Amino acid sequence: AGLSTAQRVVTVQKGPLYRTEGSHVTLWCKVSGYQGPAEQNFQWSIYLPSAPEREVQIVSTVDPSFPYAIYTQRVRSRGIYVERVQGDAVLLHITELQDRDAGEYECHTPNTDERYFGSYSAKMNLVVIADTLSASMAPQLLTRAEGEAVELACEVSKSTAQHTHLSVGWYHLQGAGESHAEEVLTLSKDFVLRPGPSYAQRFLVGDVRLNKVGNTTYKLSIEGVKPSDQGQLYCEAAEWIEDPDETWKDISHKQTGRTSLVVMSQGRDLSVDIAATERSLSEGDTLQLNCVLGAQKSISRHFQVLWLLNGMEVAKVDPHGILIWEDEYEERAKLGQLQAFKHSNTVYVLIIYEVGLKDNGTYHCSASEMKTPGDFHSIQTNMSSGIQVHVMPIGYRMHLSVSTSTPQVVVGDALILLCRVQGATSPVSVQWWHLPPQHPGPRVPVATMERDGTLRLGSTYQDSRTRGSLRLEKASSGTFTLVIPNTLDEGDGGRYVCQVTEWSRGQRWTKAGETAVTVSSMAGLGLHATLRSRIATVRYGQSFELICQANASYTLGEVPVSVRWLFQPSLPISHFHELVRVSPRGAVAWGSAHPHFQRKAQLTKAATSFRLHIHNAVAADMGTYQCEVEVWRRNTLSLGQPAATTRSNAVGIKVLLLESKLRVATTKRSVEAAGGADTAIECRIVSAHDSSQFAVTWYLLPPPPADETPLQIVRANYSSILEYGTEFSSPAQKSRFLSQRVSSDVFWLRILSVNPSDQGRYYCVVEEWLWLVDGWYKLGEGASGRTTLELKLPEHELQLEKTNRSISARKGEEVTLHCLLQGAHLPATHLSATWYREESGHNRSLLSLHRDGAIEYPRESLAGRLQLRRPTAGDLSLTLSSVEEGDAGLYHCQVQRWQLQSDGKDWALQALACSGYTQLTTIPAESTVLSRICSSPPLLNFILYLPLLLILLLVLAVFCWYFKFRR
């Protein structure tokens, strides 16, 4: 299916792109199909070849703290920046491409849509290759008469491994100070010759040509030079590569030195021009001045030339070419430092090989025409305009900039200090010093790199166990990087001074610069986190988002930060479990306690704000959430010990499930069944969800005088698995009480072979269950109306002893509970009987005699202590052996008589009766004095009775005395 307008699509420039080191690179990125504001934000990251899974953040249009440390300085100095072309399109600029910039670039757009739909990022590869293009032409000073020809040769070569094309062009500058170059003739990358506007007509007639000679030489030929051709000529080469989008891109440009061309007009007056190959020089450089004479038929004429500096004569060349130096220059000429000569009758050259400060000033050349070589009087004299030459001291051009990519760090982090040197023409030595904060004492030497690359460390920094292995490296032609891997304490902050010395011809020139850093302790970080959610109650299937905001007194964007998301389910007994952890390097590790979150959660980070977005909420997502933020020291990430940790407040999320539609029929009913017959109790569902499943539990409320506590008979869950209640768990009861689903909305409780103990009120409780994405959920429940089961009593009643009894028994003794059937036993009949004991208002069966003679013990623990006396003879008395204290209670028996029907298959209940009640009282063994006496030997009885006899005799004597006294 195609993408709709509501689906976000991020597009980035197609790769791979090949670009040369040092070039200016742009990468475009745009987004479409988005919702929200017209101005979208963009974030650029890179995945380096050395760690292809690790994201390194570069620059963002919304978050100044987004760049990682290795890019912070370049972003601040606009060495890397984002240009917004329009609201939804940007260009990433890298002004000076470095070898470490190679990798896979990702353009990401933060979400502004109502829901996540589409792509939010795109990637492309950038390959950095060496710049192998070279273009060279030896600088010359050429003089041509108007109408003569001139030829210039330019050497261009490359050794790029990729398939590239070259373009070579020639350009003309009219004057010495002219900055705008005019195109003469160019051989394009498509091998097409293209003349400049001023040379188009001359190119068409063949007066301006460009020929390739051999593999690397490009020759420019100009026939019939004109005065407008006078000036400077140079060659420029460009290397081109075809990008994946089939467009060609220039990846390197090189310019040659300039050749000066003087065109002499056909006038009679003598003209004099002076030119210099370079006007600004450093001490020790070579200066070449050319004096060009313009005259008709110059070959047959005689000229004398004077060289002057600040109006003072330096040297003279007579018409014969004889050189005469002024006294103060003669010694330097003898040492080979000066040279002046006649190149041709119209070109004269002055060369100073090792210029000094004394060679500063304005140079002129003066030409005089002599009638004959020996004349002392000139026919005419003319002087050139002055040319200003600047000679600067050694190191004058050297510029120094000192900076740091780690201006604020915490203890344990690394310091990265940069010392950039520009304009140095000779080898330099670099020395770093440290000025601690609030310590005005002497500066501390850190490290020194000599001109030959030898490294020396200061005494304080030699032990690698304290601050790590300190490094001072020459990163590029003029950048020296000092890395201190591990800061010890706040004392490592302060100012760091870089001192650079340039050496040349026994002289040196020193410059220094400094940068400041702050080292803070984690103790005062003041780290805390706040968790919030826009909504606390969500509907089933809705999405929700949790926002964890970390704050501290320190800039968190400059230290590694990790976050843990914690979850406590809404269960009676539960604890917080780790949902997911995002490491400082961006690695994501999901916890094992709740794996379903991994399939539906999205993690994002913007500055110090962390977001957890949960799609399609289900009941399992309901609970309490927390986030835990950890701050790390950069050089201790591998040790697993964060420098500071904080846990946020807890936020509860409630998920509302679908509302139950369950309705169960509540009509009251009455069912009458004959003893021994089968019957069924109905449970009908009136309404529910179409896809629901049901769990049905059947209950019995026994008839009075029993209490109203229902007895669970059997439960059939939504998978039709049966679970019987305690009173119905015996094999005989399980075989008689069956739960059955008759149709989609009707359930039956089938009762087989009904007997008198089955009487009571029956009802069902129905639970509605629905499968919701991740599991079964209970939506609701409902109870049916009561169905009263009554037993259709037989016409006859058994003659059973009805006498109520009360007996006592000592613990450990044997006792018999009477149940006697009176009258003769009828043929073709069978008896069944059940003994009951009343417990908490309910009659609990102890033993059942079935009509087939089988005996069932509902309570297995009593099986060895209960025994029927002579059931075949009508004596159904129960013998209870080894009486226990807990056996006390009210006992009775129920007896039924069954008769085989005429068909010889079914049995019918013919008569039934209940016995009288027997109250059993248990007496602890030897619990009274009397029992002790009765159980003692005769002598012991006598001894025990003697005090009683004495007391009786004493009482009798008192009465006799009293009556005698009365008389």
Side-chain angles (χ1 to χ4, degrees):
L3 298 177
S4 68
T5 56
Q7 182 168 350
R8 176 182 289 253
V9 177
V10 176
T11 311
V12 74
Q13 188 167 352
K14 191 175 182 182
L17 297 184
Y18 294 88
R19 296 294 185 264
T20 55
E21 188 173 2
S23 62
H24 186 137
V25 175
T26 60
L27 306 174
W28 61 258
C29 178
K30 60 185 178 181
V31 59
S32 61
Y34 56 87
Q35 300 174 2
E39 184 171 288
Q40 294 286 297
N41 286 308
F42 294 81
Q43 295 173 338
W44 286 90
S45 302
I46 186 174
Y47 297 83
L48 299 173
S50 57
E53 300 299 324
R54 175 191 172 193
E55 178 188 8
V56 180
Q57 298 173 178
I58 301 176
V59 66
S60 168
T61 60
V62 64
D63 183 6
S65 64
F66 183 77
Y68 279 9
I70 60 173
Y71 288 102
T72 301
Q73 185 62 29
R74 295 173 70 185
V75 172
R76 287 177 179 171
S77 63
R78 289 191 62 81
I80 298 177
Y81 64 94
V82 177
E83 175 192 357
R84 188 177 289 279
V85 180
Q86 56 189 41
D88 53 9
V90 296
L91 281 175
L92 173 66
H93 287 261
I94 304 175
T95 58
E96 187 176 348
L97 191 65
Q98 301 178 11
D99 182 62
R100 62 175 178 169
D101 293 332
E104 185 179 38
Y105 283 75
E106 179 179 41
C107 175
H108 173 75
T109 61
N111 182 34
T112 60
D113 309 329
E114 293 182 358
R115 62 191 182 99
Y116 283 86
F117 186 47
S119 66
Y120 291 80
S121 65
K123 295 181 180 180
M124 58 83 62
N125 278 299
L126 176 65
V127 181
V128 180
I129 60 177
D131 186 359
T132 63
L133 179 65
S134 69
S136 62
M137 179 181 68
Q140 304 176 66
L141 180 61
L142 301 178
T143 303
R144 295 291 185 270
E146 186 176 358
E148 293 182 349
V150 65
E151 282 191 349
L152 298 174
C154 175
E155 295 291 330
V156 179
S157 65
K158 66 178 180 71
S159 58
T160 308
Q162 288 71 29
H163 176 71
T164 58
H165 287 186
L166 290 177
S167 64
V168 179
W170 289 90
Y171 295 86
H172 173 238
L173 285 169
Q174 188 72 39
E178 182 70 33
S179 60
H180 177 67
E182 180 183 25
E183 183 181 13
V184 179
L185 187 58
T186 298
L187 177 63
S188 73
K189 66 179 185 302
D190 303 318
F191 314 109
V192 176
L193 286 171
R194 184 183 65 245
S198 301
Y199 291 87
Q201 185 61 36
R202 297 166 70 183
F203 168 75
L204 292 175
V205 299
D207 287 345
V208 177
R209 303 184 304 276
L210 194 157
N211 297 315
K212 183 177 181 183
V213 181
N215 291 327
T216 60
T217 303
Y218 295 81
K219 185 180 289 185
L220 174 69
S221 300
I222 302 177
E223 299 289 343
V225 295
K226 299 178 179 181
S228 60
D229 295 329
Q230 183 165 299
Q232 294 180 314
L233 294 165
Y234 66 90
C235 167
E236 181 174 289
E239 186 173 7
W240 299 75
I241 193 167
E242 187 177 19
D243 285 345
D245 61 2
E246 298 183 354
T247 61
W248 286 85
K249 172 65 179 174
D250 51 330
I251 59 175
S252 180
H253 287 261
K254 293 294 171 60
Q255 272 188 21
T256 66
R258 297 174 182 177
T259 290
S260 296
L261 174 64
V262 177
V263 179
M264 296 178 295
S265 65
Q266 298 297 330
R268 293 189 176 186
D269 292 338
L270 176 64
S271 65
V272 182
D273 290 307
I274 188 172
T277 55
E278 187 68 49
R279 295 188 180 191
S280 297
L281 305 97
S282 297
E283 285 184 279
D285 289 347
T286 297
L287 170 64
Q288 179 176 331
L289 299 168
N290 300 291
C291 183
V292 181
L293 309 183
Q296 294 182 0
K297 299 180 181 180
S298 58
I299 296 177
S300 60
R301 299 167 70 174
H302 309 287
F303 304 103
Q304 177 178 279
V305 174
L306 296 178
W307 289 99
L308 301 101
L309 171 59
N310 298 326
M312 303 298 294
E313 186 176 326
V314 176
K316 177 174 64 177
V317 180
D318 69 10
H320 295 289
I322 297 174
L323 174 64
I324 302 171
W325 292 100
E326 284 299 307
D327 293 342
E328 60 180 295
Y329 294 97
E330 189 170 2
E331 184 63 29
R332 293 176 66 188
K334 290 179 180 178
L335 295 174
Q337 298 176 1
L338 302 176
Q339 184 181 9
F341 58 90
K342 179 180 179 180
H343 182 269
S344 66
N345 204 34
T346 57
V347 179
Y348 296 80
V349 180
L350 171 65
I351 300 176
I352 304 176
Y353 288 105
E354 294 184 5
V355 295
L357 298 178
K358 57 188 175 182
D359 296 319
N360 265 316
T362 303
Y363 287 82
H364 292 83
C365 71
S366 173
S368 301
E369 183 179 2
M370 306 299 181
K371 190 173 183 179
T372 61
D375 284 352
F376 291 99
H377 300 284
S378 60
I379 300 174
Q380 58 177 326
T381 300
N382 200 355
M383 181 178 291
S384 71
S385 59
I387 186 169
Q388 186 71 35
V389 173
H390 300 279
V391 179
M392 291 167 284
I394 296 175
Y396 180 83
R397 292 185 177 180
M398 182 173 67
H399 298 286
L400 195 63
S401 62
V402 183
S403 61
T404 177
S405 60
T406 54
Q408 289 184 319
V409 298
V410 293
V411 173
D413 286 353
L415 290 181
I416 302 175
L417 307 166
L418 306 173
C419 186
R420 188 183 298 273
V421 183
Q422 295 176 315
T425 58
S426 303
V428 298
S429 61
V430 177
Q431 191 168 21
W432 281 93
W433 305 83
H434 177 216
L435 297 172
Q438 302 176 353
H439 292 286
R443 57 185 185 178
V444 179
V446 180
T448 300
M449 179 178 284
E450 301 294 350
R451 289 176 291 172
D452 60 359
T454 304
L455 179 64
R456 288 186 291 106
L457 300 180
S459 59
T460 309
Y461 296 85
Q462 291 179 358
D463 188 357
S464 62
R465 294 172 297 179
T466 56
R467 292 180 175 85
S469 300
L470 184 143
R471 305 191 307 275
L472 177 54
E473 301 171 342
K474 187 175 182 181
S476 62
S477 58
T479 301
F480 297 84
T481 303
L482 174 66
V483 179
I484 302 175
N486 181 18
T487 50
L488 289 181
D489 49 38
E490 292 92 332
D492 281 343
R495 292 178 295 154
Y496 284 83
V497 179
C498 176
Q499 180 175 293
V500 179
T501 303
E502 182 178 8
W503 303 77
S504 179
R505 298 180 180 90
Q507 300 183 60
R508 66 179 183 179
W509 183 270
T510 300
K511 283 191 176 182
E514 66 179 44
T515 186
V517 298
T518 301
V519 180
S520 304
S521 171
M522 282 287 185
L525 191 61
L527 178 67
H528 68 278
T530 304
L531 183 64
R532 58 187 175 89
S533 174
R534 293 188 177 91
I535 50 177
T537 301
V538 297
R539 296 188 304 274
Y540 176 83
Q542 187 181 1
S543 297
F544 64 93
E545 187 172 63
L546 297 162
I547 304 170
C548 178
Q549 180 65 50
N551 296 288
S553 57
Y554 184 80
T555 305
L556 287 175
E558 298 185 2
V559 295
V561 178
S562 63
V563 64
R564 293 173 65 229
W565 289 96
L566 307 172
F567 175 62
Q568 182 182 27
S570 293
L571 298 174
I573 301 176
S574 63
H575 305 282
F576 275 102
H577 301 107
E578 182 179 287
L579 276 187
V580 62
R581 183 180 188 276
V582 183
S583 74
R585 295 188 174 97
V588 177
W590 291 92
S592 58
H594 304 280
H596 76 281
F597 279 100
Q598 185 174 357
R599 301 187 298 271
K600 54 187 286 183
Q602 184 175 14
L603 299 163
T604 58
K605 174 182 179 293
T608 57
S609 177
F610 305 88
R611 295 173 185 251
L612 174 65
H613 192 95
I614 307 294
H615 297 275
N616 298 324
V618 296
D621 304 335
M622 187 160 51
T624 304
Y625 293 80
Q626 276 188 316
C627 69
E628 185 176 88
V629 178
E630 300 168 322
V631 176
W632 302 74
R633 295 171 180 164
R634 291 188 183 90
N635 62 331
T636 59
L637 283 175
S638 60
L639 302 180
Q641 295 294 327
T645 302
T646 185
R647 184 173 288 194
S648 75
N649 55 294
V651 171
I653 296 295
K654 183 178 181 181
V655 180
L656 299 178
L657 299 177
L658 296 178
E659 294 185 1
S660 174
K661 294 184 178 181
L662 178 67
R663 286 180 55 220
V664 182
T666 57
T667 305
K668 293 183 179 180
R669 298 183 179 185
S670 180
V671 175
E672 186 180 57
D678 298 341
T679 190
I681 310 296
E682 182 180 273
C683 178
R684 181 178 296 274
I685 297 171
V686 177
S687 65
H689 287 281
D690 291 340
S691 55
S692 295
Q693 296 293 327
F694 305 102
V696 178
T697 306
W698 292 95
Y699 292 93
L700 167 63
L701 285 168
D707 62 17
E708 289 291 317
T709 303
L711 301 176
Q712 179 180 325
I713 303 171
V714 62
R715 168 184 165 84
N717 68 9
Y718 56 79
S719 298
S720 299
I721 297 175
L722 300 180
E723 178 185 348
Y724 282 85
T726 305
E727 301 298 326
F728 296 85
S729 59
S730 67
Q733 295 287 66
K734 287 182 179 181
S735 65
R736 292 181 57 239
F737 289 88
L738 304 175
S739 180
Q740 180 179 0
R741 184 168 189 171
V742 181
S743 65
S744 61
D745 57 354
V746 176
F747 294 82
W748 280 359
L749 175 66
R750 295 182 63 85
I751 307 175
L752 306 182
S753 187
V754 174
N755 62 51
S757 63
D758 298 335
Q759 295 182 98
R761 289 171 295 163
Y762 291 81
Y763 68 93
C764 69
V765 174
V766 181
E767 301 169 7
E768 184 179 18
W769 290 78
L770 195 63
W771 176 265
L772 299 176
V773 179
D774 61 334
W776 287 97
Y777 290 95
K778 178 181 174 182
L779 302 185
E781 67 176 40
S784 70
R786 272 48 170 177
T787 298
T788 302
L789 174 62
E790 297 178 348
L791 188 67
K792 186 176 181 181
L793 297 176
E795 298 178 356
H796 307 283
E797 183 176 357
L798 288 174
Q799 297 300 314
L800 199 64
E801 184 180 4
K802 300 288 188 176
T803 306
N804 295 329
R805 302 172 185 270
S806 178
I807 61 174
S808 299
R810 264 189 212 93
K811 184 178 180 181
E813 291 183 344
E814 180 179 278
V815 65
T816 298
L817 307 175
H818 293 281
C819 181
L820 298 173
L821 185 65
Q822 299 173 350
H825 180 65
L826 300 177
T829 62
H830 284 183
L831 295 177
S832 66
T834 303
W835 272 97
Y836 297 95
R837 183 175 69 191
E838 186 175 304
E839 296 179 7
S840 302
H842 289 286
N843 289 324
R844 309 294 186 187
S845 63
L846 303 177
L847 177 149
S848 293
L849 169 67
H850 297 286
R851 60 173 179 263
D852 60 359
I855 296 179
E856 178 189 356
Y857 299 91
R859 301 187 185 186
E860 295 294 336
S861 59
L862 298 176
R865 299 171 51 213
L866 300 177
Q867 184 179 1
L868 287 178
R869 180 174 289 181
R870 292 183 296 165
T872 56
D875 186 355
L876 299 169
S877 299
L878 178 68
T879 300
L880 174 62
S881 61
S882 300
V883 171
E884 298 178 358
E885 185 176 351
D887 294 334
L890 193 62
Y891 293 77
H892 78 281
C893 74
Q894 185 182 72
V895 181
Q896 300 94 27
R897 184 167 66 197
W898 303 82
Q899 185 162 8
L900 187 64
Q901 297 296 298
S902 59
D903 58 4
K905 296 180 179 179
D906 297 325
W907 292 83
L909 180 65
Q910 187 185 55
L912 62 86
C914 288
S915 70
Y917 289 88
T918 299
Q919 178 67 50
L920 174 63
T921 303
T922 58
I923 303 173
E926 301 183 355
S927 59
T928 63
V929 173
L930 184 60
S931 66
R932 290 193 186 97
I933 294 174
C934 295
S935 61
S936 299
L939 180 61
L940 182 58
N941 288 340
F942 176 76
I943 295 173
L944 290 174
Y945 275 103
L946 182 61
L948 294 176
L949 292 174
L950 292 175
I951 292 172
L952 290 174
L953 291 174
L954 179 61
V955 171
L956 183 62
V958 170
F959 271 99
C960 291
W961 177 81
Y962 174 75
F963 284 110
K964 185 179 181 180
F965 179 78
R966 291 279 305 265
R967 291 191 185 123

